[in-house]
Amino acid sequence: MALTAALALAALLPAAAGETVLGVYIFHRHGDRTAKEWPPTALTALGTEQVLSSGTYYRNRYIGANASSPIAGVSHDLAVLSQLSVSAPVDSVLQNSAQAFLQGLYPPAGSVATQKLANGTDTNPPLGGYQYIPVNAVTSAASGSSSENSVWLQGTSGCGNAMISSNEYYTSTEYLDTLASTADFYKSLEPVINGTFTEAQASFKNAYAIYDLIHVATIHNSTIPSSSLLTPETLHQLQTRADQHEWGLAYNSSSPIRAVSGAVLAAQIVQSLNSTLQTASAASGLKLGIQFGAYGTFMSFFGLAQLPAVSADFTGMVDYASSFAVELVTNSTAARPAAADVAVRFLFSNGSAGLNAAGLQPFPLFGRRETLLPWDTFASEMGKFAIGDTGAWCRACGNTTGVCADYAAGAAGAAGGDAGNGGGDGGVSRPVAGVIGAVVTLVVVLALEGLLMAVAGLRLTKKKAAFSTEAQADKLSTSSK
Ligand SMILES: *[C@@H]1O[C@H](CO)[C@@H](O)[C@H](O)[C@H]1NC(C)=O
Ligand SMILES: *[C@@H]1O[C@H](CO)[C@@H](O)[C@H](O)[C@H]1NC(C)=O
Ligand SMILES: *[C@@H]1O[C@H](CO)[C@@H](O)[C@H](O)[C@H]1NC(C)=O
Ligand SMILES: *[C@@H]1O[C@H](CO)[C@@H](O)[C@H](O)[C@H]1NC(C)=O
Ligand SMILES: *[C@@H]1O[C@H](CO)[C@@H](O)[C@H](O)[C@H]1NC(C)=O
Ligand SMILES: *[C@@H]1O[C@H](CO)[C@@H](O)[C@H](O)[C@H]1NC(C)=O
Ligand SMILES: *[C@@H]1O[C@H](CO)[C@@H](O)[C@H](O)[C@H]1NC(C)=O
Ligand SMILES: *[C@@H]1O[C@H](CO)[C@@H](O)[C@H](O)[C@H]1NC(C)=O
Ligand SMILES: *[C@@H]1O[C@H](CO)[C@@H](O)[C@H](O)[C@H]1NC(C)=O
């Protein structure tokens, strides 16, 4: 609260005088969605509005002819596909969120999209010049590519050490104490949730699933059973317990591998911004990296980047359509600025940047005070925890078989180097890194899903199965049919 109030001033202040934005990396959560106990889960009208208005906000900030912090060289009205790299897991809610966001970023171009034919006739594209921007999905690779990454894409396996680490949460004192101290609280909600959860399931074990069921209902259902039980205090406790539970699974400072999804995201951010820097003088260079993903990845990244040192709010789940942006900026006027003249700024909006009065606000990373960090400092801080290639992933996860066999100690051609240092150019192309990131999310998610089901003892009736998937809605890259 204080955080938002203190920062509410400058929603769309122009960039510092003389400063040029070279490019941006955006990580984004999906908008409001329907409950998953009634599949297929879909982005709602409300959620579409949230992500569209976020896209419009980013357009007004970085893209449009009158943008407040224009990205140098970015195309204003007609999307140039080489300037954009957009990805989202194969999940209909995340995919649709990305598409709606892109409609805000590059709306139908109207007469700007008119093309002249050889015979002099003007032609207008359909749908008012709707722009088709690909969202590079990570598929299940059922088509069977022979690339090593397709093995990962099948999602049948996970990051071994991260699974072990997350599992430890369920034996931690913090978890067991909370499970005991909240038993009465969850039992008291039985009349609200007994259509979905058995008495045994009504506990902190299912903190997220119970919160999510009720949260979606409070937004969309005017006839919740026993809704009189849902006082503001109860709803607050439901949310903060879910925050505690999900944070516990996403991050533990004594066990950084638990945050593997944030570590992979960190490498993707550095690789994307580095590509922007290397190609700054080229009109076709990458300007905007955009990825849609899970609240759990936000949490893992926040933990690794030490954002809880700024505010404990960073240990809570971000609202629907939240996003963070990492800006690459310079005061240099050179067409291709030297790395030493370039700096990075981290900005975050809790909820849709277009609907949140404060818009994006800067926050300092890595336990520092300044919100603008030299590029080299940023890259080396990220490099301390980033995981940027297959070999680093295999070593950090302790995996030695399957796709990791080539990287196991002693294997012919095993990649050397420090497992923690994937922030540099580890020789993995951007698309491959993207695939790794998505796959890591996928495998962690699948692992967590199995874990939660085992721990929570959710019964696998058809309906319950759908709900237990719902329970980690945002973690799940694979939830939709
Ligand atoms: C930019 O702002 C100017 C002055 O306010 C206005 O005349 C112009 O139409 C705007 N251009 C776009 C593309 O919005
Ligand atoms: C020009 O070419 C287009 C596409 O072939 C055709 O539809 C149109 O009738 C032509 N116009 C003239 C004036 O010939
Ligand atoms: C990694 O190791 C874990 C634990 O041994 C295993 O369950 C998982 O399938 C492995 N993942 C890959 C990608 O091989
Ligand atoms: C955090 O990790 C440490 C070391 O693995 C473990 O002892 C502790 O129980 C974990 N705490 C939580 C809350 O998971
Ligand atoms: C849930 O609890 C309410 C109130 O105790 C009861 O009226 C209702 O029948 C229960 N529903 C189910 C499905 O058990
Ligand atoms: C509202 O909740 C009730 C009870 O769980 C359910 O029967 C009904 O279908 C829900 N309505 C909507 C619009 O979700
Ligand atoms: C975002 O808002 C939610 C409340 O909806 C809160 O729990 C969380 O801590 C907030 N996160 C940040 C970083 O402000
Ligand atoms: C650009 O110059 C302004 C004014 O001196 C300064 O506040 C800002 O930090 C500089 N930005 C960068 C990226 O060096
Ligand atoms: C950026 O890319 C260049 C060229 O590929 C590479 O030499 C450099 O190490 C990279 N820097 C970082 C911080 O990844």
Side-chain angles (χ1 to χ4, degrees):
M1 278 289 122
L3 192 62
T4 333
L7 297 165
L9 290 169
L12 263 177
L13 280 188
E19 194 176 282
T20 302
V21 180
L22 299 173
V24 180
Y25 193 90
I26 299 166
F27 189 68
H28 213 294
R29 193 182 172 200
H30 63 70
D32 181 85
R33 53 162 164 71
T34 60
K36 292 206 177 178
E37 62 275 43
W38 295 304
T41 305
L43 190 65
T44 61
L46 180 64
T48 311
E49 177 57 29
Q50 291 165 349
V51 282
L52 177 75
S53 65
S54 176
T56 304
Y57 175 92
Y58 278 97
R59 173 173 182 75
N60 292 336
R61 186 179 174 100
Y62 296 119
I63 307 286
N66 287 342
S68 57
S69 305
I71 294 176
V74 80
S75 179
H76 298 309
D77 296 311
L78 290 177
V80 171
L81 299 188
S82 64
Q83 296 184 343
L84 303 166
S85 171
V86 189
S87 63
V90 184
D91 170 276
S92 58
V93 175
L94 287 166
Q95 286 276 322
N96 287 355
S97 292
Q99 285 170 351
F101 174 88
L102 290 171
Q103 285 306 298
L105 202 64
Y106 280 106
S111 60
V112 181
T114 300
Q115 294 176 346
K116 198 177 276 303
L117 298 178
N119 67 10
T121 304
D122 281 340
T123 53
N124 295 307
L127 303 172
Y130 179 101
Q131 306 202 50
Y132 306 88
I133 301 174
V135 177
N136 295 315
V138 177
T139 70
S140 67
S143 50
S145 143
S146 61
S147 99
E148 65 166 18
N149 290 295
S150 68
V151 178
W152 299 50
L153 289 170
Q154 285 156 20
T156 51
S157 50
C159 172
N161 288 341
M163 289 153 76
I164 293 166
S165 175
S166 281
N167 214 355
E168 273 172 13
Y169 175 64
Y170 291 103
T171 54
S172 68
T173 324
E174 182 204 303
Y175 171 79
L176 294 171
D177 288 353
T178 311
L179 182 68
S181 67
T182 58
D184 292 344
F185 171 72
Y186 284 101
K187 290 285 174 269
S188 75
L189 293 171
E190 268 278 303
V192 183
I193 60 175
N194 65 357
T196 308
F197 293 92
T198 66
E199 206 178 321
Q201 290 165 350
S203 79
F204 181 64
K205 270 180 203 165
N206 292 318
Y208 180 76
I210 294 168
Y211 158 74
D212 192 67
L213 176 74
I214 293 176
H215 180 61
V216 171
T218 55
I219 295 171
H220 293 282
N221 196 336
S222 55
T223 57
I224 306 172
S226 307
S227 60
S228 59
L229 289 173
L230 300 178
T231 62
E233 294 72 33
T234 299
L235 291 172
H236 179 74
Q237 158 123 260
L238 268 171
Q239 175 163 2
T240 50
R241 288 303 177 194
D243 286 342
Q244 178 188 353
H245 188 274
E246 297 308 290
W247 180 260
L249 290 177
Y251 182 73
N252 177 338
S253 58
S254 318
S255 184
I257 191 62
R258 191 172 303 183
V260 64
S261 63
V264 171
L265 174 62
Q268 292 175 290
I269 293 169
V270 172
Q271 287 166 2
S272 178
L273 294 178
N274 196 27
S275 167
T276 295
L277 179 59
Q278 306 293 329
T279 59
S281 56
S284 61
L286 178 68
K287 308 288 184 198
L288 266 175
I290 302 167
Q291 184 175 170
F292 276 71
Y295 67 77
T297 305
F298 278 88
M299 287 177 146
S300 293
F301 179 77
F302 288 169
L304 293 169
Q306 296 176 52
L307 282 158
V310 179
S311 163
D313 288 352
F314 282 100
T315 63
M317 289 180 286
V318 301
D319 289 344
Y320 291 141
S322 291
S323 60
F324 70 71
V326 189
E327 288 180 343
L328 191 68
V329 298
T330 185
N331 280 343
S332 161
T333 52
R336 184 171 165 190
D341 295 333
V342 173
V344 171
R345 184 182 288 118
F346 172 89
L347 306 119
F348 171 68
S349 169
N350 202 358
S352 172
L355 300 172
N356 166 356
L360 287 173
Q361 291 297 332
F363 293 95
L365 301 176
F366 316 124
R368 293 167 177 254
R369 283 214 304 276
E370 60 282 30
T371 53
L372 193 64
L373 284 181
W375 161 250
D376 291 333
T377 307
F378 173 80
S380 82
E381 288 280 1
M382 294 281 266
K384 289 178 186 166
F385 54 80
I387 295 178
D389 61 61
T390 316
W393 189 91
C394 292
R395 286 189 295 277
C397 293
N399 275 64
T400 52
T401 57
V403 71
C404 291
D406 288 349
Y407 299 90
D418 174 9
N421 186 10
D425 186 3
V428 172
S429 66
R430 209 161 35 79
V432 171
V435 163
I436 294 172
V439 167
V440 170
T441 309
L442 184 71
V443 295
V444 168
V445 153
L446 289 174
L448 279 172
E449 181 181 18
L451 185 68
L452 280 203
M453 288 216 263
V455 170
L458 289 183
R459 282 179 312 180
L460 282 173
T461 62
K462 203 150 201 252
K463 190 170 162 185
K464 293 282 166 51
F467 185 80
S468 66
T469 299
E470 151 87 356
Q472 306 106 52
D474 306 84
K475 287 196 162 64
L476 289 176
S477 323
T478 51
S479 53
S480 63
K481 317 245 138 75

